[in-house]
Amino acid sequence: MRAVEVSAPGVLAVRDRPDPVPAPDEVVIAVRSCGICGTDLHLVDGELGTDRFPLVPGHEAWGEVVAVGRAVDGHAVGDLVAVDPSLHCGGCDPCRRGQGNMCRRWGALGATRPGAWAEFMAAPAANLHRLEPDYPLAAVPLAEPVACAVRGLDRLAPRPDQPAIVFGAGTMGLVLAILLDARGVGPVTVVDVNPARRALAARLTPADVRAPEELAGRTAPWVIEATGDPRAFEQALDRVARAGHLLVFGVAAPLATATVSPYRIYADELTIVGSMAILHSFPAAMDTVRRHAARLTPLVTDRFGLDGVDAALTLVRTGGTIKTVLAPGPPDRPSPGPEVSR
Ligand SMILES: [Zn+2]
Ligand SMILES: [Zn+2]
């Protein structure tokens, strides 16, 4: 099969790789599409501690089941599925406490195992979410990002009819703004430094969209940092109202630091929470994507074949896109046979 392979930080190419074969409890999917997100840029650049090269990125996948391991029950060739990329061992102490995203052996498809910037990907059957025939397929590329957003909102637990401010008008900022509005939280303000992104945000969300310098004295009890930029984190903390809450959602560089006032956290009784990836939130995300497909689908703005990966990554880096996906297209060769085990 053809796949995007990152052989060293910043070095990637489309290569032929062996077709994946499902382990007994796995399936192989023919990838219909897989998104590119900011975490992928960090992975491609070798900035996260989880990178293992050579790596096939891609953790926002959906596709068609083309091979089924012999121990798999409940999935068949031809099923359309969205894939939760999370790989939690299930046996370590955090896993046994229900905190699988803190797993001591944490992994993810597209990070610690080959992902879906490829024609085919093997995945544990337990990670699949079947798409019923009436599921709005155009919105499925957002299932994984929405699962991360749902986890973030589980952590923040915002209350309806109170204002919120979201820093960052990338995919996640806009998904979060839409979900806040859908949950009755608002008015929602979205903040971004990039005028092109602000224009897209104003078109695609109900939020009041502003540049940081246009915020004046605006504060909110619910503030979300969705850029990963330490400077934006500082600005976001400044916007938290007294007794308010800040969700740190963006992925900063692991060694980046920011300045905070401990006195303010004390005196204003601020709550700062983080949210990492997905935890028990994929089923809710599948329901959310279905219910709000009309609002979420327009966020999928750009589509490239595997050979367009360089152009796609350049587009994502410049911020002139919301969600860019790689679509390898239907397989042009016989798919790997079912009932194969390894
Ligand atoms: Zn992602
Ligand atoms: Zn574990």
Side-chain angles (χ1 to χ4, degrees), residues 89-90 92 95 103-104:
C89 79
C92 71
C95 278
C103 174
R104 298 222 173 96

Side-chain angles (χ1 to χ4, degrees), residues 47-75:
E47 291 171 359
L48 299 182
T50 52
D51 320 337
R52 297 188 190 162
F53 298 108
L55 170 72
V56 178
H59 58 269
E60 301 180 358
W62 74 282
E64 179 177 346
V65 174
V66 294
V68 179
R70 61 181 148 74
V72 172
D73 201 15
H75 290 283

Side-chain angles (χ1 to χ4, degrees), residues 192-216:
D192 202 288
V193 293
N194 181 325
R197 281 193 173 175
R198 289 202 299 272
L200 284 167
R203 188 157 62 76
L204 297 171
T205 77
D208 179 14
V209 184
R210 307 219 162 196
E213 61 273 18
E214 295 169 344
L215 284 172

Side-chain angles (χ1 to χ4, degrees), residues 144-241:
E144 194 275 348
V146 168
C148 296
V150 167
R151 168 64 183 158
L153 294 181
D154 286 348
R155 289 281 288 157
L156 186 64
R159 296 202 193 126
D161 299 315
Q162 294 186 349
I165 302 176
V166 179
F167 278 74
T171 316
M172 293 318 310
L174 300 197
V175 166
L176 286 159
I178 288 170
L179 296 194
L180 286 167
D181 183 67
R183 292 176 180 212
V185 182
V188 178
T189 303
V190 169
V191 185
D192 202 288
V193 293
N194 181 325
R197 281 193 173 175
R198 289 202 299 272
L200 284 167
R203 188 157 62 76
L204 297 171
T205 77
D208 179 14
V209 184
R210 307 219 162 196
E213 61 273 18
E214 295 169 344
L215 284 172
R218 188 173 300 195
T219 62
W222 312 102
V223 179
I224 301 177
E225 198 309 283
T227 74
D229 180 339
R231 179 82 192 100
F233 166 85
E234 291 171 354
Q235 293 176 350
L237 190 57
D238 284 345
R239 296 293 154 186
V240 181

